Short mmCIF file of all heavy atoms in Angstrom, two decimals:
data_model
loop_
_atom_site.label_atom_id
_atom_site.label_comp_id
_atom_site.label_asym_id
_atom_site.label_seq_id
_atom_site.Cartn_x
_atom_site.Cartn_y
_atom_site.Cartn_z
N PRO A 51 5.89 25.26 3.78
CA PRO A 51 4.76 24.71 2.95
C PRO A 51 4.00 23.74 3.75
O PRO A 51 4.45 23.21 4.87
CB PRO A 51 5.41 24.09 1.75
CG PRO A 51 6.77 23.67 2.24
CD PRO A 51 7.14 24.72 3.38
N ALA A 52 2.76 23.41 3.27
CA ALA A 52 2.01 22.25 3.78
C ALA A 52 2.79 20.99 3.46
O ALA A 52 3.62 21.05 2.47
CB ALA A 52 0.64 22.26 3.21
N THR A 53 2.58 19.84 4.05
CA THR A 53 3.28 18.75 3.80
C THR A 53 2.39 17.49 3.57
O THR A 53 1.31 17.40 4.16
CB THR A 53 4.27 18.33 4.99
OG1 THR A 53 3.55 18.21 6.19
CG2 THR A 53 5.40 19.27 5.08
N ILE A 54 2.86 16.54 2.76
CA ILE A 54 2.18 15.28 2.54
C ILE A 54 3.24 14.16 2.87
O ILE A 54 4.38 14.26 2.52
CB ILE A 54 1.74 15.14 1.05
CG1 ILE A 54 0.78 16.10 0.62
CG2 ILE A 54 1.24 13.70 0.81
CD1 ILE A 54 0.36 16.07 -0.83
N GLU A 55 2.68 13.13 3.53
CA GLU A 55 3.54 11.93 3.73
C GLU A 55 3.13 10.90 2.84
O GLU A 55 2.01 10.51 2.67
CB GLU A 55 3.34 11.43 5.20
CG GLU A 55 4.22 10.23 5.59
CD GLU A 55 4.09 9.84 7.00
OE1 GLU A 55 4.27 10.70 7.93
OE2 GLU A 55 3.75 8.68 7.26
N PHE A 56 4.11 10.36 2.00
CA PHE A 56 3.89 9.33 1.06
C PHE A 56 4.45 8.05 1.71
O PHE A 56 5.59 7.94 2.24
CB PHE A 56 4.69 9.58 -0.26
CG PHE A 56 4.01 10.59 -1.20
CD1 PHE A 56 4.63 11.85 -1.31
CD2 PHE A 56 2.81 10.33 -1.76
CE1 PHE A 56 4.05 12.79 -2.17
CE2 PHE A 56 2.23 11.37 -2.59
CZ PHE A 56 2.79 12.52 -2.79
N VAL A 57 3.66 6.99 1.57
CA VAL A 57 4.11 5.71 2.03
C VAL A 57 4.15 4.77 0.90
O VAL A 57 3.12 4.55 0.21
CB VAL A 57 3.10 5.09 3.10
CG1 VAL A 57 3.63 3.82 3.70
CG2 VAL A 57 2.91 6.14 4.25
N ASP A 58 5.26 4.26 0.55
CA ASP A 58 5.42 3.29 -0.48
C ASP A 58 5.00 1.91 -0.02
O ASP A 58 5.82 1.25 0.74
CB ASP A 58 6.86 3.33 -1.05
CG ASP A 58 7.11 2.39 -2.27
OD1 ASP A 58 6.09 1.91 -2.80
OD2 ASP A 58 8.25 2.17 -2.61
N ILE A 59 3.90 1.46 -0.29
CA ILE A 59 3.36 0.21 0.23
C ILE A 59 3.87 -0.99 -0.51
O ILE A 59 3.51 -1.22 -1.74
CB ILE A 59 1.80 0.14 0.22
CG1 ILE A 59 1.20 1.41 0.83
CG2 ILE A 59 1.28 -1.14 0.85
CD1 ILE A 59 1.35 1.51 2.35
N ALA A 60 4.91 -1.69 0.06
CA ALA A 60 5.52 -2.77 -0.65
C ALA A 60 4.80 -4.05 -0.52
O ALA A 60 3.96 -4.25 0.36
CB ALA A 60 6.95 -2.89 -0.08
N GLY A 61 5.12 -4.98 -1.53
CA GLY A 61 4.65 -6.38 -1.30
C GLY A 61 3.25 -6.67 -1.62
O GLY A 61 2.68 -7.75 -1.35
N LEU A 62 2.54 -5.84 -2.45
CA LEU A 62 1.18 -6.16 -2.80
C LEU A 62 1.20 -6.98 -4.07
O LEU A 62 1.48 -6.48 -5.18
CB LEU A 62 0.36 -4.88 -2.96
CG LEU A 62 -1.08 -5.12 -3.30
CD1 LEU A 62 -1.68 -5.99 -2.25
CD2 LEU A 62 -1.86 -3.85 -3.32
N VAL A 63 0.82 -8.20 -3.91
CA VAL A 63 0.71 -9.07 -5.08
C VAL A 63 -0.58 -9.91 -4.93
O VAL A 63 -1.31 -9.83 -3.84
CB VAL A 63 1.87 -10.07 -5.18
CG1 VAL A 63 3.18 -9.37 -5.48
CG2 VAL A 63 2.01 -10.92 -3.89
N LYS A 64 -0.94 -10.66 -5.92
CA LYS A 64 -2.12 -11.57 -5.78
C LYS A 64 -1.93 -12.43 -4.59
O LYS A 64 -0.87 -13.11 -4.52
CB LYS A 64 -2.36 -12.23 -7.15
CG LYS A 64 -3.74 -12.87 -7.29
CD LYS A 64 -3.87 -13.61 -8.57
CE LYS A 64 -4.07 -12.64 -9.72
NZ LYS A 64 -4.40 -13.27 -10.99
N GLY A 65 -2.87 -12.52 -3.75
CA GLY A 65 -2.74 -13.36 -2.52
C GLY A 65 -2.14 -12.61 -1.33
O GLY A 65 -1.84 -13.27 -0.30
N ALA A 66 -1.92 -11.33 -1.41
CA ALA A 66 -1.44 -10.54 -0.30
C ALA A 66 -2.28 -10.78 0.98
O ALA A 66 -1.78 -10.80 2.04
CB ALA A 66 -1.36 -9.08 -0.67
N SER A 67 -3.59 -10.82 0.77
CA SER A 67 -4.51 -10.89 1.96
C SER A 67 -4.31 -12.28 2.65
O SER A 67 -4.70 -12.48 3.79
CB SER A 67 -5.98 -10.76 1.50
OG SER A 67 -6.28 -11.69 0.57
N LYS A 68 -3.75 -13.21 1.90
CA LYS A 68 -3.43 -14.58 2.53
C LYS A 68 -1.98 -14.66 2.96
O LYS A 68 -1.50 -15.71 3.27
CB LYS A 68 -3.73 -15.66 1.51
CG LYS A 68 -5.12 -15.65 0.91
CD LYS A 68 -6.12 -16.41 1.88
CE LYS A 68 -7.48 -16.47 1.31
NZ LYS A 68 -8.18 -15.20 1.20
N GLY A 69 -1.29 -13.46 2.99
CA GLY A 69 0.10 -13.49 3.46
C GLY A 69 1.13 -13.62 2.32
O GLY A 69 2.32 -13.70 2.71
N GLU A 70 0.72 -13.65 1.06
CA GLU A 70 1.70 -13.75 0.04
C GLU A 70 2.56 -12.51 -0.02
O GLU A 70 2.06 -11.40 0.29
CB GLU A 70 1.05 -13.96 -1.42
CG GLU A 70 0.21 -15.30 -1.47
CD GLU A 70 1.03 -16.49 -1.65
OE1 GLU A 70 2.21 -16.36 -2.18
OE2 GLU A 70 0.74 -17.53 -1.20
N GLY A 71 3.78 -12.56 -0.63
CA GLY A 71 4.58 -11.38 -0.62
C GLY A 71 4.87 -10.84 0.75
O GLY A 71 5.18 -11.60 1.65
N LEU A 72 4.66 -9.58 0.91
CA LEU A 72 4.74 -8.93 2.22
C LEU A 72 3.33 -8.63 2.78
O LEU A 72 3.13 -7.59 3.39
CB LEU A 72 5.63 -7.69 2.21
CG LEU A 72 7.03 -7.88 1.70
CD1 LEU A 72 7.67 -6.52 1.52
CD2 LEU A 72 7.83 -8.67 2.73
N GLY A 73 2.41 -9.48 2.27
CA GLY A 73 0.96 -9.12 2.42
C GLY A 73 0.50 -8.51 3.73
O GLY A 73 -0.05 -7.40 3.68
N ASN A 74 0.78 -9.21 4.80
CA ASN A 74 0.19 -8.68 6.07
C ASN A 74 0.76 -7.38 6.51
O ASN A 74 0.07 -6.54 7.01
CB ASN A 74 0.26 -9.79 7.17
CG ASN A 74 -0.54 -10.98 6.89
OD1 ASN A 74 -1.59 -10.84 6.26
ND2 ASN A 74 -0.02 -12.14 7.22
N GLN A 75 2.07 -7.30 6.29
CA GLN A 75 2.71 -5.99 6.63
C GLN A 75 2.18 -4.81 5.73
O GLN A 75 1.92 -3.78 6.24
CB GLN A 75 4.29 -6.16 6.30
CG GLN A 75 5.08 -4.94 6.70
CD GLN A 75 6.53 -5.11 6.20
OE1 GLN A 75 7.09 -6.16 6.18
NE2 GLN A 75 7.11 -3.95 5.80
N PHE A 76 1.96 -5.13 4.50
CA PHE A 76 1.44 -4.16 3.58
C PHE A 76 0.04 -3.67 4.07
O PHE A 76 -0.29 -2.49 4.09
CB PHE A 76 1.20 -4.77 2.11
CG PHE A 76 -0.05 -4.32 1.41
CD1 PHE A 76 -0.04 -3.09 0.94
CD2 PHE A 76 -1.08 -5.19 1.36
CE1 PHE A 76 -1.25 -2.72 0.26
CE2 PHE A 76 -2.23 -4.75 0.73
CZ PHE A 76 -2.35 -3.59 0.14
N LEU A 77 -0.79 -4.63 4.50
CA LEU A 77 -2.16 -4.26 4.88
C LEU A 77 -2.11 -3.45 6.19
O LEU A 77 -2.98 -2.56 6.36
CB LEU A 77 -2.96 -5.54 5.10
CG LEU A 77 -3.21 -6.33 3.76
CD1 LEU A 77 -3.68 -7.70 4.04
CD2 LEU A 77 -4.20 -5.55 2.83
N ALA A 78 -1.15 -3.69 7.10
CA ALA A 78 -1.04 -2.94 8.26
C ALA A 78 -0.72 -1.46 7.95
O ALA A 78 -1.21 -0.52 8.46
CB ALA A 78 -0.05 -3.52 9.25
N ASN A 79 0.27 -1.34 7.01
CA ASN A 79 0.71 0.06 6.64
C ASN A 79 -0.39 0.80 6.03
O ASN A 79 -0.51 2.02 6.26
CB ASN A 79 1.87 -0.11 5.56
CG ASN A 79 3.26 -0.49 6.21
OD1 ASN A 79 3.33 -0.48 7.44
ND2 ASN A 79 4.13 -0.94 5.43
N ILE A 80 -1.15 0.22 5.14
CA ILE A 80 -2.10 0.92 4.36
C ILE A 80 -3.34 1.34 5.12
O ILE A 80 -3.95 2.37 4.85
CB ILE A 80 -2.59 0.09 3.11
CG1 ILE A 80 -3.07 1.09 2.01
CG2 ILE A 80 -3.53 -0.90 3.42
CD1 ILE A 80 -3.30 0.41 0.64
N ARG A 81 -3.62 0.72 6.30
CA ARG A 81 -4.77 1.16 7.11
C ARG A 81 -4.52 2.48 7.72
O ARG A 81 -5.47 3.17 8.17
CB ARG A 81 -5.03 0.09 8.20
CG ARG A 81 -5.72 -1.15 7.70
CD ARG A 81 -6.40 -1.97 8.68
NE ARG A 81 -6.76 -3.25 7.99
CZ ARG A 81 -7.88 -3.48 7.27
NH1 ARG A 81 -8.63 -2.52 7.09
NH2 ARG A 81 -8.11 -4.62 6.69
N GLU A 82 -3.30 2.95 7.75
CA GLU A 82 -2.91 4.21 8.42
C GLU A 82 -3.14 5.39 7.53
O GLU A 82 -3.10 6.56 7.95
CB GLU A 82 -1.49 4.18 8.91
CG GLU A 82 -1.09 3.05 9.91
CD GLU A 82 -1.96 3.02 11.12
OE1 GLU A 82 -2.17 4.07 11.72
OE2 GLU A 82 -2.48 1.95 11.48
N VAL A 83 -3.34 5.15 6.26
CA VAL A 83 -3.31 6.32 5.33
C VAL A 83 -4.69 7.03 5.16
O VAL A 83 -5.73 6.31 5.39
CB VAL A 83 -2.76 5.91 3.94
CG1 VAL A 83 -1.36 5.28 4.00
CG2 VAL A 83 -3.66 4.96 3.14
N ASP A 84 -4.68 8.25 4.68
CA ASP A 84 -6.01 8.96 4.46
C ASP A 84 -6.56 8.65 3.08
O ASP A 84 -7.76 8.62 2.96
CB ASP A 84 -5.65 10.49 4.48
CG ASP A 84 -5.16 10.96 5.77
OD1 ASP A 84 -5.80 10.59 6.84
OD2 ASP A 84 -4.15 11.72 5.85
N ALA A 85 -5.72 8.30 2.16
CA ALA A 85 -6.18 7.97 0.83
C ALA A 85 -5.12 7.08 0.14
O ALA A 85 -3.95 7.01 0.51
CB ALA A 85 -6.39 9.24 -0.11
N ILE A 86 -5.52 6.36 -0.85
CA ILE A 86 -4.69 5.42 -1.62
C ILE A 86 -4.41 5.96 -3.01
O ILE A 86 -5.36 6.42 -3.66
CB ILE A 86 -5.42 3.99 -1.71
CG1 ILE A 86 -5.46 3.42 -0.31
CG2 ILE A 86 -4.59 3.05 -2.62
CD1 ILE A 86 -6.43 2.13 -0.23
N VAL A 87 -3.15 5.95 -3.35
CA VAL A 87 -2.79 6.31 -4.72
C VAL A 87 -2.46 5.00 -5.39
O VAL A 87 -1.42 4.38 -5.05
CB VAL A 87 -1.53 7.25 -4.76
CG1 VAL A 87 -1.15 7.60 -6.16
CG2 VAL A 87 -1.75 8.59 -3.96
N HIS A 88 -3.25 4.59 -6.36
CA HIS A 88 -3.02 3.30 -7.03
C HIS A 88 -2.43 3.54 -8.40
O HIS A 88 -3.04 4.08 -9.32
CB HIS A 88 -4.49 2.67 -7.21
CG HIS A 88 -4.41 1.24 -7.77
ND1 HIS A 88 -5.45 0.38 -7.64
CD2 HIS A 88 -3.45 0.54 -8.40
CE1 HIS A 88 -5.19 -0.69 -8.21
NE2 HIS A 88 -3.94 -0.66 -8.66
N VAL A 89 -1.20 3.06 -8.52
CA VAL A 89 -0.43 3.26 -9.76
C VAL A 89 -0.80 2.11 -10.70
O VAL A 89 -0.69 0.94 -10.40
CB VAL A 89 1.08 3.29 -9.54
CG1 VAL A 89 1.74 3.58 -10.85
CG2 VAL A 89 1.43 4.43 -8.50
N VAL A 90 -1.34 2.48 -11.91
CA VAL A 90 -1.72 1.56 -12.86
C VAL A 90 -0.84 1.69 -14.17
O VAL A 90 -0.75 2.77 -14.73
CB VAL A 90 -3.25 1.69 -13.21
CG1 VAL A 90 -3.70 0.60 -14.11
CG2 VAL A 90 -4.08 1.74 -11.96
N ARG A 91 -0.35 0.53 -14.64
CA ARG A 91 0.53 0.63 -15.85
C ARG A 91 -0.35 0.78 -17.04
O ARG A 91 -1.24 -0.08 -17.42
CB ARG A 91 1.32 -0.64 -15.86
CG ARG A 91 2.27 -0.71 -17.10
CD ARG A 91 3.33 -1.71 -17.01
NE ARG A 91 3.94 -2.00 -18.28
CZ ARG A 91 4.98 -2.84 -18.47
NH1 ARG A 91 5.37 -3.52 -17.52
NH2 ARG A 91 5.48 -3.03 -19.71
N CYS A 92 -0.10 1.87 -17.80
CA CYS A 92 -0.80 2.10 -19.09
C CYS A 92 0.10 2.28 -20.25
O CYS A 92 -0.16 2.90 -21.27
CB CYS A 92 -1.70 3.29 -18.96
SG CYS A 92 -2.99 3.21 -17.67
#
């Protein structure tokens, strides 16, 4: 079959861009992806 790679981007919290949580690591990981799947609690 065709394949998809899923990356579970950890550490995204308010202030991630300022290095909160695993902020900077998260931002480096996410720049590599083709699209973002944003899970929203409903």
Side-chain angles (χ1 to χ4, degrees):
T53 53
I54 296 177
E55 183 175 305
F56 285 111
V57 186
D58 183 11
I59 308 289
L62 183 54
V63 293
K64 197 178 284 187
S67 57
K68 302 279 186 289
E70 296 287 330
L72 300 172
N74 295 327
Q75 182 187 328
F76 143 75
L77 294 166
N79 285 345
I80 203 170
R81 284 200 191 275
E82 303 302 314
V83 304
D84 298 311
I86 295 168
V87 180
H88 184 165
V89 184
V90 185
R91 180 169 166 178
C92 296

